[in-house]
Amino acid sequence: MIVLNSPVPVFALKNFKLVIEYDGSAYCGWQRQKDDRTVQGEIERALEIMTRKKVSLNGSGRTDAGVHALGQTANFRCETSISPEAFQKGLNSLLDKDIVIKSCEPVPLEFHARFDVKKKKYLYRILNRALPVAVGRQYVWHIRRPLDVDAMVEACVHFAGERDFKAFEGAGSPRSHTVRIVSESRLHVQEDGFLSYEIEANGFLRFMVRSIVGTLAEVGCGKISPDRVPEIFSSKDRSLAGATAPPCGLFLMSVEY
């Protein structure tokens, strides 16, 4: 029997934008790797199950091993009849519980999650007290030595504006230049010894946020004075800045387009 006017799936090329939350503790970072478990690799595996095709995911940028995200963004293009709602539901059913697709929406074909970024915001959490925490320890840098928070707040000002962050760049950073525009650099004091540092910029170098936080920690310990930060910028010498803070306290909060 021939059924007239039956619905036909439309396998048109479409572009989808994902907003992703993940706990990076169990992953070797965002970027796909041949032999290691990564966030991008896990999502691409789930997409292949859903679409029965190899799908390439474009992230807004890399996060390193152990770094977390509340608002990572990515896009993928695919010829499919699957709706955004079905992608979100299906991906969440296939992924482990430490990765959640917060939203999936159609976007123009020319949209690219990395090349179209205007700003990103990161947050870094520090616990500054003698007593550690058992619950949530994988989301904070525990510093036992008392920190001079006022000095750290004073130092934060020097990281705002258009600056050459060569002295705060990790080795092997893929970039054409090291100048970035930071629109926000603030330290917030919270209860029970918790501190949170927020930074928003038009782009970030490899380990840049963790290098800044490590420098702020050394300011708080009295090893670097706040007024020496401009000298570190001018030197472009990574060895003059503080040590790289551990990845566990870092969160990619949001990406603006």
Side-chain angles (χ1 to χ4, degrees):
M1 176 191 295
I2 298 176
V3 179
L4 299 177
N5 299 321
S6 59
V8 177
V10 179
F11 293 94
L13 180 62
K14 300 174 184 177
N15 195 10
F16 298 90
K17 174 188 170 188
L18 304 178
V19 177
I20 309 156
E21 177 179 336
Y22 53 85
D23 177 342
S25 303
Y27 298 94
C28 295
W30 162 266
Q31 190 175 28
R32 178 197 318 113
Q33 298 181 33
K34 183 178 179 181
D35 299 318
D36 294 316
R37 190 165 178 256
T38 68
V39 179
Q40 180 186 19
E42 290 299 295
I43 299 174
E44 287 181 345
R45 177 191 60 80
L47 283 170
E48 185 175 355
I49 292 173
M50 290 191 70
T51 64
R52 299 181 182 179
K53 302 173 184 177
K54 290 283 187 181
V55 177
S56 180
L57 195 62
N58 303 308
S60 70
R62 304 174 183 178
T63 55
D64 297 310
V67 174
H68 318 291
L70 298 181
Q72 170 71 290
T73 60
N75 79 287
F76 66 94
R77 298 181 181 92
C78 184
E79 290 186 354
T80 183
S81 63
I82 301 174
S83 70
E85 296 78 14
F87 266 123
Q88 181 186 16
K89 185 176 180 180
L91 289 172
N92 283 329
S93 70
L94 292 167
L95 294 165
D96 285 346
K97 295 184 184 299
D98 52 8
I99 302 176
V100 173
I101 307 302
K102 297 174 73 173
S103 67
C104 177
E105 63 176 311
V107 288
L109 286 177
E110 61 270 20
F111 173 82
H112 194 286
R114 180 161 69 94
F115 299 141
D116 293 344
V117 172
K118 290 184 178 179
K119 290 182 181 179
K120 291 183 185 179
K121 178 178 283 189
Y122 280 91
L123 178 141
Y124 195 99
R125 299 179 71 237
I126 295 173
L127 175 61
N128 184 216
R129 70 185 192 194
L131 191 67
V133 290
V135 178
R137 65 192 180 280
Q138 69 270 43
Y139 308 120
V140 69
W141 180 18
H142 181 213
I143 302 177
R144 291 180 172 83
R145 179 176 176 176
L147 298 173
D148 183 342
V149 175
D150 290 337
M152 295 171 70
V153 170
E154 183 181 346
C156 282
V157 177
H158 296 298
F159 294 98
E162 186 172 354
R163 303 279 188 273
D164 187 337
F165 283 88
K166 175 66 177 175
F168 302 92
E169 174 193 35
S173 181
R175 80 303 186 260
S176 57
H177 63 87
T178 52
V179 174
R180 298 293 184 269
I181 301 173
V182 173
S183 52
E184 181 180 353
S185 172
R186 296 179 184 176
L187 186 72
H188 302 277
V189 181
Q190 299 168 322
E191 296 180 353
D192 300 325
F194 285 95
L195 306 172
S196 63
Y197 174 67
E198 290 186 6
I199 182 168
E200 183 180 68
N202 67 337
F204 291 88
L205 304 171
R206 189 182 186 197
F207 298 157
M208 176 175 151
V209 180
R210 291 164 59 192
S211 298
I212 291 172
V213 172
T215 302
L216 291 175
E218 294 200 10
V219 169
C221 290
K223 296 180 180 178
I224 298 175
S225 63
D227 56 13
R228 273 199 58 213
V229 175
E231 296 177 21
I232 297 172
F233 273 107
S234 298
S235 74
K236 300 183 182 181
D237 186 346
R238 178 67 187 87
S239 68
L240 297 182
T244 304
C248 56
L250 184 58
F251 294 78
L252 172 56
M253 300 299 291
S254 61
V255 183
E256 181 181 323
Y257 293 95

